[in-house]
Amino acid sequence: MIQAVLGHYPVKIITPLFLVHAQFEPMGPVVNFMNDAARTTVAFSEATLYDLHGKLEPSTHPLVVFKKRDICCLYVDDARGRASIQLLQRTINIIVHVPNLICRGEVHVGAETRQADILDSLIGQYLVLTNVAVFPTVHLPADFPSRPELILGHKDAIEGYYPE
């Protein structure tokens, strides 16, 4: 019997409403799992939710599930997890706006991808940015890296982008 390969990684997530610190257990490489078209939701364990609007106290739950399109930005806080993400060679310097963050970094695209077609040319649902600088547009009530080496952003959460 073939066993599924499960990773176990700490993650930090930005949604329209929450900053989340949690554990993530994808089957296989992170991007492949996140881009699985059959999955509309993603489960996280040991999750602490921080309200981005300051109305709720932080709360910790053994399990939380989010719609994939609401996972605006996902940072894998583990080098092994980030190493499982295969990147295309060509990069474009870009600024991306998602709810609650502006991210400046390098998007990895195919050799023929035009700057205007970055989102339309994605094979999956998640855009990979490397060498990122993160600028919150709201007060973040807990830690989120300001200079992550790699983050994932859901293309439906991207409000707009422009090349540098």
Side-chain angles (χ1 to χ4, degrees):
M1 184 165 135
I2 297 176
Q3 289 282 57
V5 178
L6 294 176
H8 185 85
Y9 311 118
V11 293
K12 295 180 178 165
I13 305 155
I14 298 286
T15 76
L17 301 175
F18 299 103
L19 165 60
V20 182
H21 291 184
Q23 296 295 313
F24 180 42
E25 296 180 4
M27 287 188 284
V30 172
V31 171
N32 295 12
F33 183 84
M34 294 300 290
N35 282 330
D36 182 348
R39 294 184 177 280
T40 59
T41 62
V42 180
F44 299 94
S45 61
E46 303 169 39
T48 301
L49 281 67
Y50 300 91
D51 179 16
L52 291 176
H53 302 290
K55 296 178 182 174
L56 303 171
E57 290 296 317
S59 60
T60 302
H61 307 276
L63 175 73
V64 296
V65 179
F66 290 104
K67 292 179 183 177
K68 283 174 36 176
R69 70 171 185 258
D70 288 335
I71 301 170
C72 302
C73 188
L74 182 138
Y75 170 67
V76 179
D77 199 3
D78 180 276
R80 292 174 306 118
R82 291 190 302 272
S84 78
I85 299 171
Q86 294 189 326
L87 302 171
L88 296 171
Q89 293 299 312
R90 181 170 166 245
T91 61
I92 297 172
N93 291 332
I94 191 171
I95 295 175
V96 177
H97 292 255
V98 298
N100 304 308
L101 297 178
I102 299 170
C103 302
R104 179 178 183 230
E106 298 173 340
V107 62
H108 292 255
V109 297
E112 302 297 322
T113 302
R114 297 179 325 149
Q115 292 179 343
D117 298 331
I118 291 170
L119 294 180
D120 291 330
S121 68
L122 282 178
I123 294 171
Q125 300 162 2
Y126 281 86
L127 181 77
V128 178
L129 288 173
T130 56
N131 301 317
V132 187
V134 173
F135 304 95
T137 58
V138 297
H139 169 72
L140 297 181
D143 180 50
F144 191 88
S146 61
R147 299 288 302 182
E149 66 184 63
L150 184 146
I151 58 172
L152 304 175
H154 195 284
K155 71 179 182 179
D156 289 347
I158 295 172
E159 297 167 335
Y161 71 89
Y162 42 95
E164 277 196 286

